[in-house]
Amino acid sequence: MKWNTYSKRTWQAAVAACALALTASGCASSSDTAASGQGNGPLVIGASVSLTGDFADNGKAVQRGYQLWADSVNAKGGLLGRKVEFKIVDDLSSPTQVITNYQNLINRDHVDLVFGPFSSLLTVPASQVAKRYGYAFLEPAGGGPQVFAQHLNNLFFVQPAPSVRAGDVFAKWVLSLPADKRPRTAAYAELDDPFAGPIAESVRTAFEAAGIKTVYKQVYPAETADLSPVMSGIAAAHPDVLVSGTQNNDAYAQIKSLVQLKFSPKFVFMSNGANSPLEFPDKVGAANTSGIMSSGDWYPSSTAAGSAEFAAAYVKKYGGTAQQVDNSSAEAYACGQLLADVAKKAGKIDNATIIKSLHSGSWPTLLGDLGWNADGAPTSSFSLVQWQGGKLLPVYPAAAAQAAPVYPKPNWGG
């Protein structure tokens, strides 16, 4: 579960550029032709993925998840007897290139189905192309408000909840604690980002309504190179809980600064960065992760549908350990799981059937059971995860927990 870092100004400029590109492109034609997904040959799924550019690391993780699912389903005979093939093209992490890619996949390559790219920035224009041609659009990595504001019934965000709801599970857990165990004061350090900032603000709203006093709040631009002044202000305010609306790099910088300042809040929640099982301990020091919380949708020891099979297959194909699997790969794999379930239940796999089926009921995946509203926003919730003993473990809600939450947070160094 990751979100791309973009300032509001950058996001607005990119969306404006995409609108111009869509207007000038063939996507704005009146064609409503969609592939049926039926036939005797391979079932070809097209996807535009960031293999180069700003989103390349995450894009490659998405690619791995897509291909791993194809390998898995093909080993079992394919979907409805058809071998699954992916046609993946590089969008260069560009909103305009992603439009061209999906137009070509649909109109030139005549793929049967399409899956989504990485990031909300690319998902918005890509989903508009898919909608124009009547294609279902399962997408693993575009959960920002702008995605659902389009009101597209063909779009399905394959995570448990919209991105801005990622902090709700932390707020719910804190407010479930006995009154004498709850934090009394809170500080908020927020990246000026359309994804990270609103997560922290959602927690702040819940905390203030419950009487947890805000003693410090600072929003900083993405260009901020030195976060020590912000963290010094937090240390001076001495809050019980720190809620950080972060992406990866600023999350690492926040922890490093707090360690230097020797200030360790009783509770720390980070919207992003701390939920990276491989990068976070490497960047901040494994001993400094203990007790830090974030939210997540997949973890190596998950017992959700197909999770163990996914983890084993990933390690066999790509190496490493299950603890090092990027969530983006799990989310991409879940798109395939949903497709297979629709095929099994409906006995066919065309775009109209996928759209109708996924808007009915709940569907089991390695991310948990998923369902969506009319705009493609998932209706479940994330899990609260915490670093314990060098591992990122789910601790809340009880149904998903594999360990009890540890609080207060241990001091830096373990």
Side-chain angles (χ1 to χ4, degrees):
M1 180 189 64
K2 293 189 178 72
W3 307 287
N4 50 299
T5 304
Y6 262 87
S7 68
K8 293 176 183 177
R9 185 174 299 175
T10 303
W11 172 270
Q12 291 165 351
V15 170
C18 290
L20 288 173
L22 281 165
T23 301
S25 71
C27 178
S29 73
S30 60
S31 172
D32 290 317
T33 302
S36 69
Q38 307 307 306
N40 298 318
L43 181 72
V44 182
I45 304 174
S48 177
V49 176
S50 300
L51 303 180
T52 58
D54 292 342
F55 307 148
D57 288 345
N58 299 118
K60 290 173 183 176
V62 169
Q63 180 188 36
R64 289 193 292 270
Y66 284 159
Q67 192 57 57
L68 189 65
W69 170 75
D71 292 347
S72 174
V73 77
N74 286 335
K76 300 174 183 178
L79 281 189
L80 303 178
R82 300 176 66 186
K83 180 181 178 182
V84 174
E85 293 182 359
F86 268 96
K87 183 173 181 60
I88 293 179
V89 289
D90 183 11
D91 53 40
L92 316 175
S93 303
S94 163
T96 52
Q97 184 63 45
V98 82
I99 294 171
T100 299
N101 286 355
Y102 279 103
Q103 289 173 331
N104 288 340
L105 287 168
I106 292 170
N107 294 319
R108 183 190 67 194
D109 302 323
H110 304 293
V111 297
D112 297 299
L113 308 168
V114 293
F115 281 176
F118 178 83
S119 83
S120 295
L121 187 76
L122 304 188
T123 294
V124 168
S127 60
Q128 292 172 9
V129 177
K131 175 63 176 177
R132 168 61 64 181
Y133 294 109
Y135 275 65
F137 200 70
L138 281 71
E139 53 95 359
Q146 299 88 344
V147 174
F148 310 119
Q150 301 177 102
H151 306 299
L152 301 181
N153 76 322
N154 66 314
L155 180 145
F156 302 90
F157 176 45
V158 185
Q159 288 190 29
S163 300
V164 296
R165 303 262 63 90
D168 292 3
V169 67
F170 175 66
K172 186 175 181 180
W173 170 69
V174 167
L175 298 181
S176 74
L177 297 175
D180 61 341
K181 301 293 184 182
R182 291 183 195 174
R184 297 177 182 274
T185 58
Y188 304 85
E190 304 174 11
L191 177 67
D192 184 13
D193 174 269
F195 307 94
I199 294 172
E201 283 299 288
S202 179
V203 176
R204 184 173 68 85
T205 298
F207 279 2
E208 289 182 347
I212 299 175
K213 183 180 178 182
T214 298
V215 294
Y216 184 93
K217 175 187 169 182
Q218 181 65 53
V219 178
Y220 52 89
E223 298 78 16
T224 304
D226 181 10
L227 283 175
S228 56
V230 176
M231 307 320 287
S232 294
I234 288 171
H238 208 81
D240 294 329
V241 56
L242 169 62
V243 178
S244 297
T246 51
Q247 291 289 356
N248 286 19
N249 290 334
D250 58 316
Y252 309 149
Q254 283 194 21
I255 298 302
K256 290 178 181 178
S257 183
L258 287 174
V259 171
Q260 291 177 345
L261 291 166
K262 298 181 180 180
F263 174 65
S264 181
K266 296 177 181 178
F267 303 82
V268 175
F269 174 85
M270 312 191 93
S271 65
N272 208 8
N275 53 12
S276 176
L278 182 61
E279 293 179 356
F280 191 60
D282 179 63
K283 298 295 186 181
V284 306
N288 293 324
T289 64
S290 186
I292 294 176
M293 292 180 161
S294 188
S295 55
D297 57 4
W298 184 81
Y299 33 89
S301 53
S302 170
T303 58
S307 180
E309 178 186 17
F310 161 76
Y314 186 100
V315 171
K316 182 178 180 179
K317 184 176 179 66
Y318 300 115
T321 67
Q323 192 68 26
Q324 297 171 326
V325 176
D326 192 298
N327 276 35
S328 295
S329 295
E331 291 147 4
Y333 187 94
C335 291
Q337 282 187 297
L338 291 165
L339 201 63
D341 285 346
V342 170
K344 182 178 180 180
K345 184 174 182 179
K348 56 182 179 177
I349 193 67
D350 59 85
N351 286 290
T353 296
I354 295 167
I355 295 169
K356 181 179 179 180
S357 298
L358 293 182
H359 276 302
S360 303
S362 180
W363 297 80
T365 74
L366 76 166
L367 309 179
D369 293 346
L370 302 183
W372 298 267
N373 68 14
D375 297 330
T379 55
S380 187
S381 59
F382 293 107
S383 297
L384 183 64
V385 294
Q386 185 180 42
W387 283 94
Q388 296 184 14
K391 295 182 179 180
L392 197 56
L393 300 176
V395 295
Y396 184 86
Q402 295 184 1
V406 173
Y407 64 98
K409 184 189 77 64
N411 287 328
W412 306 120

